[in-house]
Structure formats: structure tokens, C-alpha cells
Amino acid sequence: MRNRGIGAALVAATAAVSLAACGPDGGAGGDQPYIAIVSKGFQHQFWQAVKQGAEQEAQRRGARVTFVGPATEQEVEEQLNMLTNELAKQPDALGFAALDSRAAAPLLQQAKASDIPVIAFDSGVDSDVPVTTVATDNKAAAAEAAQHMAGLLGGQGEVAMVVHDQTSRSGVDRRDGFTEWMAENAPGITVLPPQYGGGDQLESANITKSILSANPDLAGIYASNEGSAIGVIKGAKESGRDDVTIVGFDSGKAQIDAIRGGRMAGAVTQNPVGMGERLVDSALKAIEGQDLPKTIDTGFFWYDQSNIDDPEIKEVLYQ
């Protein structure tokens, strides 16, 4: 079913882009550069912070942006439909955070054929179409989380992983960055096979409860994004397991409260506002025909109770 749905979306994309190219109102119109942004979702505070950064930079630079994303980070087909619709508007540039790093490749070729520069953000895609990728170095950030987890556990014990997906570049890199660091540096820690919750809080909570039920001696859980982390925190709480060390990714009020309250040991935070700003800056440069580096690293920070109120950290936390 999923393949048929994606195929239908791609056929619709071809028709929509062709119609827009032929129609008199196909262009974005107006004097301001128009940048269409398609994110992975809208439900998490992370995406709202990216949107804020993009809008701030657009206002400073005299550009116009639109920002859309599916209701959940599991809706690949819905994201492809959104990408189709945005391409049909013929923006001057496109920002895209792929839920599936391969499924969107034909649509990105459509963008290239229409001379619309594509800026990948948050996650890369398996395509040479994007002129640059604005993102955290997710493998390095996941290794940072693994290093802190190993230190907190004294280098011993079983650790589980609740990962947001295995199709996006960020999901793969945050999974592999964590497991590879553990394999190379923490021989006393056993990492269980990853479980995938789609970044959905309820699904991740249910997965966590199942993991804890099946592994009563589990020492720690790593959660790879905001939705996964909130789900793991809920799942551990509902299982009555306040002895499990939880580390994760991202920020948001629920995670900040959990770290202040001691239920979560710490997390890697990205810089979503800065990511939105760099996304728009890169799009404007691409519209002007400037060369861009293959990747633009927007950085990351580890935060816990010891530094959560430091000015440098507070600047990149969002809630």
C-alpha cells in the first residue's frame, strides 16, 4: 500500500509541476524571493523553533517563506503530497527535510528540472540534487550521547535504543553514531537492537514499557529525538522504573522539566533556530547563484542539570 501511495504522489507531482510551469500564475509572484519549506513535521517544538528561525531570517533579508509539514513524522506519503504542492507553486528555492531519504528523489529531480535550488535541512537525502545540507552532525552528536551514557553507567550494563525512524538520514546517523561509539569505546556495555517509534510519543512510550518488561535488568535507554525522548520518559514512569538512566536528543519543555526533575540524565540539543536561519541564508545565496559547501554544520551541545542554566545552553533550548 505504501509503495502504491508514494507512486501515486509522484505521478501527481509530475502533473502538478507541469501544469504550474505552463500556467500564467505558476510563479511565486511578487518582488520578494519566495522560499518554500517542507519539514518532517509540525507537532514538536523543534520544528516550531526551526520555523521561527527561518521566518526571522526571511524578515531580515526581505524574503518570503512558507513552512509546512505532516502531522506526524511517520507520514511519508503526506510529506510527498506537500512537496508536490509546494513545487507546483514554483518557489525561487525549496527547503526540504526528508522523512524518507530515497522516496523523494524523483520529486527532487522535478525541482532540478524546473531550476528550483533545493536546500536539504535536518536530514540529508540520497540524491545529488540539494545544493547543500544544513544540519547537525548527527553521528557526532549521537556519539556524544553515547559517551555520556557510558560515563553515567560506569561502563557497564545493558542499554536500549528508541529511535525515531530508519528511513531518514538523521534517524540512521543517530542510531549508528550511538552504537558505533559504544562498540569502539565501551566493551562492558551491551546495546540491544534498536526499536523504532516513528518519533511518536505514545508509540515510543509503549515500546519503552515493552522493553522494560522484557529486560528487567536494563540500565539505560537512549532516545533519538524529541518525540522519542518524551515517550521514553513516560514509558519509564508508567513502568515504575526511575532507576533507568535516560539520555536523548533535543529539547522542549517536557525534556527540560524531566532533566531538572532528575528523571532524564541529559540530552543533546541542536540549534533549531540557527538551523532555520542558515536554511534561509543558504536558499538566498543559491537563488543568487553563489556556490555553497556540501554541508553546513549547525552544531550541538550536551546539557544536563549541571549546565542547563548556562547562557550558552539556554540560548539553544526551546520550549
Side-chain angles (χ1 to χ4, degrees), residues 290-311:
Q290 297 186 36
D291 291 331
L292 292 165
K294 186 177 179 182
T295 60
I296 296 174
D297 186 353
T298 50
F300 62 85
F301 302 85
W302 171 262
Y303 73 105
D304 55 23
Q305 283 186 343
S306 70
N307 67 352
I308 195 168
D309 291 317
D310 287 356

Side-chain angles (χ1 to χ4, degrees), residues 38-89:
V38 180
S39 77
K40 284 183 176 179
F42 227 85
Q43 66 178 151
H44 295 145
Q45 290 167 330
F46 177 84
W47 298 115
Q48 294 299 318
V50 175
K51 179 174 181 283
Q52 178 191 336
E55 291 176 343
Q56 286 176 179
E57 185 66 14
Q59 186 173 22
R60 279 195 291 266
R61 305 280 292 276
R64 182 165 69 92
V65 298
T66 53
F67 195 103
V68 299
T72 75
E73 295 182 22
Q74 301 177 75
E75 298 180 36
V76 175
E77 292 174 24
E78 179 60 18
Q79 190 190 45
L80 294 177
N81 288 332
M82 289 178 164
L83 184 56
T84 298
N85 292 335
E86 295 307 305
L87 285 172
K89 298 173 186 174

